[in-house]
């Protein structure tokens, strides 16, 4: 491709409305343009990257035995009513009526449609397992679309759905998808981690997210520093501290703590570490029929944070999690939230494993402006339950038993679920099993955010000059930058010949044939992030040489004209 | 691919609701399933064909210098208001509001979006010409979706848009697209014709349609039997008959024609050929400010049909074309529509070229139950204008000057337009020209119905057993059909080995490893239409042979096991 015949559309200025680096660089590198909130046009450089990601995903899905289908983006409301999601989903699900006033949705995902297809096509256990996927445009009417294509309303996704009669079969396909995803991200050339994840609103039991590591990532991931263990911080188990709980030494005492409500204030006032204070949070309890709403006390160490997802899963706690109001707390205990504690309370007390390991600790006295010191479990608080309800912190023991946890940031680009029968049950999708009986299928689902990967790759691979593409998804593999070719026939001829040779060798090359100053060309090509560049200049040509530069390492070397193709091929083969 | 691990989904019965053969065969061959009116899921066999068509289109567009982009399917209403189409388009344009009650459309086409992109990105004549395309899902809320994917609501389309500062530049890109389309349809292996076409609602001046020829086609196309000339029948010019008009011989006479109103009735009663009778149709005239609506008389030979598109383009005739009511005709002439003619009428008379060539002809007398015979132009009707206002008929002289016209049926699968400045003017899309002045660009647009091609290919290539795919777009190139492999280790081993060899040779092969009777396998593979099949049976294996069969010709031959790959490769190279 010649730049003069291409739509480069690079920008010198950083657009004001872009918050994250990938969004800024995608705009500046001429990859995308905003059409409307959360809606982006992919310009040529953007499409080239997008199509490469798409093709790698397709090839690895095919290799893993998944079969490609293509479902409509517009889906009839009836199927969503059948699954219950027509009512359950909020305004993210874009609903509209057609010319005949029939209701439809713009598909944010395709569980309903694929389950409908499979219940019609598949009648026997002999046709299972089956894993169907598509690569297709999705729409989610985000309340606040942001970060460019990272959280757009219209986006490209690979979604796969598998169907089974047994957990073993589901596990096999799940494992195959796990491997396929590793292959995909390896081939894409990205630093990623599969992590244990919460199954959230989609439902199901087992789930892994695939994260591209980047300091700008929205999600926090906990890793073991010595094993393969990795989990979304929402999911990472916080173990009890090692060893037995220390014995109680101090006796219980009430102490005035005027104007000290927060853990930090109490710690400063009493000269104790935050880790020796237990903080008590009150949340609404699971409703019991015929009874007034009541509360549950959650007790954590002062230096720990509540993990709301873990708390919400407790049978005692109402879902979704709902914090008690100041009025509810005062009605229960006669004190404000800054002075409450678990001693003598008349509601269920759930204690985090680390807090349960404390002895001689400090809690609120359930009396405004007072705390209790020398508090001890069992002696002072007898009726409580221990559970894992906190977020892990760096340095915690890894739940796998090996090493300590470290925390990194990641961008979720893939997610695999063991769905169970949520959709197959709702849509009555069953087959005849080996015994000739009708049996509801169990399902897995497997998503990759194709357009999101493009942004995540940039978050992970950039410097102050622009994008640094991994070879596999670079818009072009090589760029030819001739110095003043419009004034030098010799430069023009040498570049034309290299261009022809590279093209003939099947290398994707951009030939920057613009009448621009070298500085402008260098800046544009660094911004776009083409991994390998060849500069053709007068002086080097005297020795039949051109200058190679690696975008990532910055390494430069002179190549003899006769060796350019072979050298580039060896770089690209890596 | 092994059939046992694939979703074949063939049907024995022809679905009742499918009207055309491609729809029936796509359902029966397991290519598509209906989700809702005009919405289809592509099953694996359908996707395989669709992706091949898509890839051929992409490659030829790239070769022709067009650059791929990707625009959102969801488009903001503002752009459609700016172009005027928000008001102009009927319910086919699906409009909806998002969660913030802003108006959007589901894109049926992308002139507005691309013009908006280009007006922002392109500022100088140096960046022109530019030809941008995408391959993307479109939505058109058809009143009556039918014929399966042939006229679906959601469909896959390649749409390209080019931008220029001169007609010469537009013509160059138009010609390049014309050639690219020929390359596409040649590579697809389809019998097609480019034909001159009307520009219709999209606007513009020059236009060609690309039709796949099939007896079931919706459109009629006129061809010269000796030259390359081809035109949509709506557009084909009807020339005046050769030679001078015969001299007038008869004198004008009034004759009673009771109960004879139609051309056929008058011809039978008066014992003259229909071609000697001139029929007169009245349509509403172009409105003149401050005047009451008036009529225009259109005169055609009795054996010819009015071409409404040609008539509508006459300056005298109101657009859209509107036939006069019986009341309007009686008010003007005092007679019913079956007895009217052009003699003595007080409105403009427009005479088709062939009717204008008549002498001594018959017309209605403008008196109920009477006609005039021996009528002659100039002598009896002095104030008239001659124009081409009829449909051509088979046997007409070709307007190119060579040969006679024949009529065939076609399915429109591509359409190229010289759009002019309709959208660029409305959206004020201009650049600085060589003189440094702001100049509105001129545009071309170029569409290919990717999913429609799949159906059209089947309309053209099928027999009573099923589809006959051209090699280039077959879901699989070769099928292996082993006879009773589940009972014969020898058959199983030979087939497995062939499968491995074919796969290693890069041939796309379907291995029918089902426990089915040979008859079922043959029927399914004929239905799906795989071009080349290899049957592995005991007796032939004794001679180290297998049986090759060509789906299209039915030709069979025995191949030595050592020659199978080479022979198939030679067939596929053709």
């Amino acid at each position: 491709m010649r730049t003069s015949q291409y739509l480069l559309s690079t920008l010198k200025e950083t657009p004001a409305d872009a918050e994250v680096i990938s969004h800024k660089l995608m705009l500046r590198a001429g990859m995308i343009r905003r059409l409307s909130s959360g809606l982006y046009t992919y310009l040529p450089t953007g499409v080239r990257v997008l199509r490469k990601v798409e093709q790698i995903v397709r090839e690895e899905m095919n290799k893993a035995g998944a079969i490609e289908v293509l479902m409509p983006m517009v889906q009839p409301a009836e199927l969503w009513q059948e699954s219950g999601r027509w009512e359950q989903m909020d305004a993210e699900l874009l609903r509209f009526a057609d010319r005949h006033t029939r209701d439809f949705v713009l598909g944010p995902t395709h569980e309903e449609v694929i389950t409908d297809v499979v219940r019609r096509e598949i009648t026997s256990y002999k046709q299972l397992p089956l894993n169907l996927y598509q690569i297709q445009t999705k729409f989610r009417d985000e309340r606040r679309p942001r970060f460019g294509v990272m959280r757009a309303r219209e986006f490209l996704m690979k979604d796969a759905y598998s169907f089974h009669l047994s957990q073993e079969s589901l596990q096999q396909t799940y494992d195959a998808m796990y491997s396929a995803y590793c292959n995909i991200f390896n081939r894409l050339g990205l630093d990623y981690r599969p992590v244990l994840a919460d199954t959230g609103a989609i439902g199901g039991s087992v789930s892994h997210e695939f994260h591209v590591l980047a300091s700008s990532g929205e999600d926090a991931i906990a890793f073991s520093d010595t094993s393969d263990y990795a989990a979304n911080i929402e999911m990472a188990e916080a173990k009890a501290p090692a060893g037995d709980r220390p014995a109680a030494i101090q006796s219980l005492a009430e102490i005035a703590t005027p104007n000290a409500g927060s853990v930090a204030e109490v710690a400063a006032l009493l000269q104790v570490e935050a880790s020796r204070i237990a903080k008590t949070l009150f949340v609404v309890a699971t409703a019991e029929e015929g009874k007034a709403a009541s509360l549950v006390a959650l007790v954590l160490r002062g230096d720990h944070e509540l993990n709301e997802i873990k708390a919400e899963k407790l049978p005692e706690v109402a879902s979704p999690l709902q914090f008690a109001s100041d009025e509810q707390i005062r009605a229960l205990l006669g004190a404000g939230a800054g002075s409450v504690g678990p001693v003598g309370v008349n509601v269920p007390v759930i204690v985090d494993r680390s807090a349960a390991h404390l002895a001689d600790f400090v809690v609120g006295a359930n009396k405004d402006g007072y705390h209790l010191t020398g508090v001890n479990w069992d002696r002072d608080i007898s009726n409580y339950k221990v559970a894992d309800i906190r977020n892990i912190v760096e340095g915690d023991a890894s739940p796998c038993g090996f090493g300590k946890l470290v925390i990194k940031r990641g961008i979720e680009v893939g997610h695999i679920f063991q769905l169970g029968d949520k959709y197959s049950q709702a849509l009555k999708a069953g087959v005849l099993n080996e015994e000739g009986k009708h049996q509801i299928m169990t399902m897995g689902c497997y998503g990759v955010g194709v357009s999101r990967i493009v942004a995540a790759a940039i978050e992970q691979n950039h410097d102050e000059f622009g994008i640094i593409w991994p070879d596999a998804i670079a818009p072009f593999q090589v760029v030819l930058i001739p110095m003043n070719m419009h004034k030098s026939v010799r430069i023009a001829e040498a570049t034309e010949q290299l261009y022809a040779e590279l093209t003939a060798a099947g290398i994707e090359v951009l030939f920057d044939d613009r009448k621009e100053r070298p500085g402008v060309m260098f800046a544009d090509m660094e911004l776009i992030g083409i991994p390998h560049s060849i500069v053709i200049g007068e002086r080097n040509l005297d020795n039949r040489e051109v200058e190679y530069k690696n975008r990532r390492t910055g390494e430069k070397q002179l190549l003899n004209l006769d060796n350019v193709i072979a050298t580039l091929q060896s770089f690209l083969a890596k």
Side-chain angles (χ1 to χ4, degrees), chain A residues 225-257:
Chain A
D225 61 2
T226 47
S227 84
D228 268 352
Y229 178 85
N232 193 305
I233 202 164
E234 297 167 347
M235 278 291 285
E237 187 187 354
K239 306 287 270 189
D244 292 334
R245 185 166 72 199
I249 293 171
Q250 302 175 10
S251 55
L252 190 65
E254 188 180 280
I255 185 164
T257 49

Side-chain angles (χ1 to χ4, degrees), chain A residues 161-383:
Chain A
Y161 307 90
S162 70
F163 295 84
H164 314 269
L165 277 192
S166 70
Q167 175 60 29
E168 293 69 42
S169 170
L170 169 58
Q171 186 67 45
Q172 268 179 17
T173 298
Y174 187 86
D175 292 344
M177 285 294 99
Y178 186 101
S179 301
Y181 277 38
C182 291
N183 294 341
I184 287 169
F185 295 111
N186 284 331
R187 278 187 64 188
L188 291 171
L190 298 176
D191 185 14
Y192 73 97
R193 287 298 280 264
V195 303
L196 275 169
D198 186 52
T199 49
I202 303 235
S205 48
V206 180
S207 170
H208 282 88
E209 291 169 357
F210 286 75
H211 284 262
V212 167
L213 300 184
S215 56
S216 57
E218 277 192 298
D219 290 300
I221 306 159
F223 297 86
S224 163
D225 61 2
T226 47
S227 84
D228 268 352
Y229 178 85
N232 193 305
I233 202 164
E234 297 167 347
M235 278 291 285
E237 187 187 354
K239 306 287 270 189
D244 292 334
R245 185 166 72 199
I249 293 171
Q250 302 175 10
S251 55
L252 190 65
E254 188 180 280
I255 185 164
T257 49
N259 304 322
S262 71
V263 168
E265 289 162 352
V266 175
L269 184 71
L270 302 185
Q271 297 276 309
V272 297
E273 285 173 19
S275 61
R276 299 294 304 280
I277 299 172
K279 62 183 172 190
T280 308
L281 307 170
F282 287 87
V283 297
V284 175
T286 305
E288 277 186 79
E289 219 170 308
K291 289 199 181 174
S294 65
L295 302 182
V296 174
L298 304 176
V299 184
L300 295 130
R301 249 173 43 186
D303 57 338
H304 287 155
E305 293 299 326
L306 178 70
N307 180 311
E308 299 188 15
I309 288 170
K310 292 177 181 175
E312 193 175 284
K313 286 182 180 163
L314 295 170
E316 294 86 351
V317 171
S319 175
L321 191 79
Q322 203 183 327
F323 287 96
S325 65
D326 288 348
E327 292 69 34
Q328 284 174 309
I329 293 173
R330 189 162 290 280
L332 178 69
L333 303 167
S339 305
V340 296
V343 177
V345 302
N346 198 18
V347 298
V349 175
I350 296 168
V351 185
D352 180 67
R353 290 167 172 171
S354 297
H357 201 261
L358 293 176
D360 301 331
F361 55 100
V362 176
V363 301
N366 294 328
K367 182 174 164 190
D368 282 330
Y370 286 87
H371 277 73
L372 302 175
T373 62
V375 182
N376 281 281
W377 297 111
D378 303 324
R379 187 192 71 186
D380 305 321
I381 308 146
S382 52
N383 197 10

Side-chain angles (χ1 to χ4, degrees), chain A residues 478-483 490-491 493-499 501-502 533-549 556-565 567-568:
Chain A
V478 174
V479 59
L480 295 179
I481 309 179
M483 296 293 92
R490 191 171 160 232
I491 297 281
E493 282 178 357
T495 313
E496 288 285 355
Q497 193 181 333
L498 268 180
Y499 180 59
E501 286 171 9
L502 285 162
S533 68
I534 299 284
V535 178
I536 301 96
E538 291 280 1
R539 254 180 304 175
N540 289 326
L541 268 192
D542 290 342
N543 306 322
R544 289 187 48 73
E545 286 179 332
V546 292
E547 187 184 77
Y548 165 82
K549 185 177 176 191
K556 292 181 182 183
Q557 62 184 94
L558 292 173
L559 299 179
N560 187 285
L561 273 178
D562 300 329
N563 298 335
V564 173
I565 308 288
T567 308
L568 286 172

